[in-house]
Amino acid sequence: MLPEIQEFFHMGGYAFYVWSSYGLCFIVLVLNIIIPLCREKVIIRSIAIQVHRKQQK
Amino acid sequence: MNRKRRNVVFAVCFIVAGMTIATTLALKAFRENLLYFYSPSQVQAGKAPQSRPFRIGGLVEEKSVVRNPDNLTVQFVLTDTMQTVTVVYDGILPDLFREGKGVVANGKLRSDGVFEAFEVLAKHDENYMPPEVADALAAANKPITVNSVVKPE
Amino acid sequence: MLRHINQFASPKNFYALSCKLVHYFGGACLLLFVAGVFGGLLFSPPDYQQGESVRIIYVHVPSAWMSLFVYIVMAGAGTIGLIWRIKIMDVIARSSAPLGASFTFLALATGSLWGKPMWGAWWVWDARLTSELILLFLYLGYIALQSAIEDPRMAARAGAILALIGIINIPIIHFSVEWWSTLHQGPTVSKLDAPSIHIDMLIPLLLMALAYMCYFISAVLMRARCDLLALERNSAWVGELIGERSR
């Protein structure tokens, strides 16, 4: 079992190229989800403060 | 559709049409420079630059690769099925360098007609298949169709 | 017909509907990604020439396809926004740009990682690679233009015009490998005669392409929702929505 797993990660000698391609895609795609999520939080909070102020007036 | 909107539509059409015409003309004018490599036929016809380096592309002729046992020097024949050019190269060949497959070599044409390359890149074809399938095709004597390596002029 | 579009395109309705769409497409994307990655890394065979390095195709080709598709979406939405003045379309065009730039970057980077072992070079200045690099600059130029102009209407208009001018690059990228001799090989999947990729490799490739498509839809809607909230922060529906939520 172990040599098979090792062979899988070795990728026939192309491990660096294959794994960095997949890793890079994963990082970029996940970042593009996290950034709008964070932005949404910030915007909603700032609008909530604005609404709150209006109600107090 | 009101008039303002129609003007915007006209402007959009104008931009796209203008850009298309301009680009077509520009690409026609620079056609030569956009060629990444010359074919052996073009080289033999004297169309390739004589004094400066250029790239040459074609298939490595079967059984033409000669390796010098003492150093890394390799000699092989490039063909586009019409004409051939002999190439010498001193360096490490890419993994995909095979007889019968495409390569692009960068270098200079010597006065004796031999191309002295300082860089050899492999040009792989657009076919992807498991080795067993390729073996089966070879056993059945079925050729693997490849889009021509060298584009017609 | 137009009234229906307008109704859907009203920011309030769009905001409500897009929330559902983000979830549906996000879920589909996750499933397809898992299937595509497992299919590509574990179940698909190595190539007869390229061995295991061919597995880069499952991330490289979908990225490249999406880089072109997103540009068409961006230019199309921008043009519709320009002509019919639909705010949602401006927002979608603007939200597409960073995603398109990401896909283009991924196509170039994974292509480079594939080119080094196979061709023997990280980068070559052939027509395909150069035109794809120009696409990246078009996206970056669009993003820079958007952040340089403060008035959202003006920014959308200028962006749409830039996107329209750049759209000529899309057919050039696609046909570059047929028009000129390039180091990059010709088309595989769209080749008209026999499909020149084995079915065991084609299935994970198409799964990944679908995953990327679903990813783009949900990611662009997420961005568009943020933009819309920020743009409409003073309107009544946003006030009600946030007021209800914070209570």
Side-chain angles (χ1 to χ4, degrees):
Chain A
M1 192 64 197
L2 208 69
E4 271 166 36
I5 295 172
Q6 234 165 14
E7 199 183 334
F8 172 70
F9 283 107
H10 188 57
M11 277 289 157
Y14 296 116
F16 168 73
Y17 303 104
V18 173
W19 293 117
S20 33
S21 296
Y22 278 79
L24 205 61
C25 286
F26 182 76
I27 292 169
V28 171
L29 295 184
V30 168
L31 268 184
N32 267 309
I33 294 293
I34 293 176
I35 292 170
L37 277 179
C38 293
R39 226 187 112 208
E40 192 175 32
K41 251 183 207 162
V42 172
I43 292 171
I44 287 179
R45 193 171 300 153
S46 87
I47 296 175
I49 292 168
Q50 186 185 325
V51 170
H52 194 68
R53 268 194 206 134
K54 232 185 235 169
Q55 281 168 345
Q56 280 182 332
K57 261 176 206 169
Chain B
M1 221 184 253
N2 64 28
R3 215 158 135 202
K4 211 170 174 185
R5 197 165 288 167
R6 205 164 54 203
N7 284 345
V8 179
V9 175
F10 274 134
V12 166
C13 295
F14 183 76
I15 293 171
V16 173
M19 277 307 292
T20 312
I21 294 166
T23 321
T24 316
L25 290 176
L27 290 180
K28 272 230 162 88
F30 292 117
R31 199 159 180 146
E32 273 286 287
N33 298 356
L34 281 166
L35 274 188
Y36 189 64
F37 54 79
Y38 292 88
S39 67
S41 296
Q42 286 171 315
V43 173
Q44 296 295 8
K47 282 183 185 159
Q50 298 292 326
S51 51
R52 60 181 178 85
F54 64 94
R55 291 189 197 84
I56 180 170
L59 301 171
V60 180
E61 202 162 73
E62 298 281 353
K63 298 187 182 81
S64 76
V65 180
V66 183
R67 283 169 208 268
N68 188 326
D70 301 330
N71 49 32
L72 281 172
T73 314
V74 201
Q75 183 185 318
F76 55 90
V77 176
L78 265 191
T79 175
D80 59 358
T81 64
M82 259 106 75
Q83 294 281 345
T84 61
V85 170
T86 305
V87 179
V88 291
Y89 174 58
D90 180 15
I92 298 159
L93 291 165
D95 293 4
L96 271 189
F97 182 88
R98 313 260 156 89
E99 290 187 349
K101 294 288 169 190
V103 295
V104 174
N106 197 353
K108 251 176 147 174
L109 200 60
R110 287 201 313 230
S111 51
D112 61 351
V114 172
F115 189 84
E116 205 177 288
F118 54 77
E119 183 185 35
V120 172
L121 302 177
K123 178 175 163 59
H124 66 80
D125 57 53
E126 72 282 12
N127 296 299
Y128 303 92
M129 64 185 93
E132 310 90 69
V133 175
D135 291 344
L137 279 179
N141 237 339
K142 273 192 194 148
I144 297 164
T145 50
V146 175
N147 278 352
S148 59
V149 170
V150 178
K151 301 284 181 293
E153 273 175 73
Chain C
M1 178 67 189
L2 212 66
R3 196 187 298 156
H4 279 291
I5 292 175
N6 271 333
Q7 210 167 40
F8 162 72
S10 92
K12 186 185 170 185
N13 291 343
F14 174 86
Y15 194 82
L17 180 70
S18 62
C19 182
K20 280 183 200 151
L21 290 178
V22 166
H23 284 111
Y24 292 151
F25 281 99
C29 158
L30 218 59
L31 288 177
L32 286 163
F33 250 118
V34 170
V37 167
F38 271 83
L41 287 176
L42 282 171
F43 302 117
S44 74
D47 183 59
Y48 76 120
Q49 290 285 318
Q50 309 188 30
E52 306 285 344
S53 78
V54 78
R55 299 191 195 282
I56 298 175
I57 200 175
Y58 306 116
V59 287
H60 171 72
V61 170
S63 303
W65 283 346
M66 289 310 288
S67 71
L68 303 186
F69 176 77
V70 172
Y71 195 91
I72 295 169
V73 169
M74 188 177 92
T79 310
I80 293 171
L82 194 68
I83 297 172
W84 284 282
R85 310 217 160 176
I86 302 171
K87 201 182 256 174
I88 304 293
M89 288 297 163
D90 290 345
V91 169
I92 286 184
R94 190 190 164 96
S95 308
S96 301
L99 291 165
S102 302
F103 286 130
T104 314
F105 166 74
L106 285 179
L108 289 170
T110 57
S112 189
L113 283 164
W114 197 6
K116 182 60 189 169
M118 289 299 109
W119 295 343
W122 295 103
W123 179 264
V124 292
W125 290 102
D126 82 346
R128 171 55 75 82
L129 277 71
T130 310
S131 54
E132 184 78 10
L133 185 66
I134 292 173
L135 182 70
L136 181 62
F137 290 145
L138 276 171
Y139 277 124
L140 296 180
Y142 182 97
I143 294 168
L145 191 69
Q146 293 295 309
S147 55
I149 303 174
E150 244 170 67
D151 175 40
R153 254 289 341 126
M154 283 292 290
R157 229 181 273 178
I161 291 168
L162 176 70
L164 269 174
I165 291 171
I167 199 141
I168 191 73
N169 194 27
I170 298 301
I172 292 178
I173 294 173
H174 182 77
F175 290 111
S176 57
V177 287
E178 295 183 10
W179 289 344
W180 302 291
S181 55
T182 53
L183 189 64
H184 195 285
Q185 73 284 7
T188 296
V189 178
S190 64
K191 209 162 93 171
L192 281 176
D193 36 342
S196 46
I197 179 165
H198 193 267
I199 186 80
D200 290 351
M201 299 168 164
L202 185 62
I203 289 171
L205 180 61
L206 293 181
L207 281 175
M208 283 300 267
L210 270 178
Y212 269 62
M213 182 63 91
C214 292
Y215 170 87
F216 167 66
I217 295 172
S218 63
V220 80
L221 288 177
M222 280 170 78
R223 271 184 191 274
R225 283 162 62 81
C226 290
D227 262 14
L228 208 59
L229 272 188
L231 268 179
E232 300 258 301
R233 60 183 308 149
N234 292 320
S235 68
W237 70 270
V238 173
E240 277 167 32
L241 191 84
I242 306 291
E244 264 169 41
R245 213 184 270 186
S246 58
R247 215 168 280 155

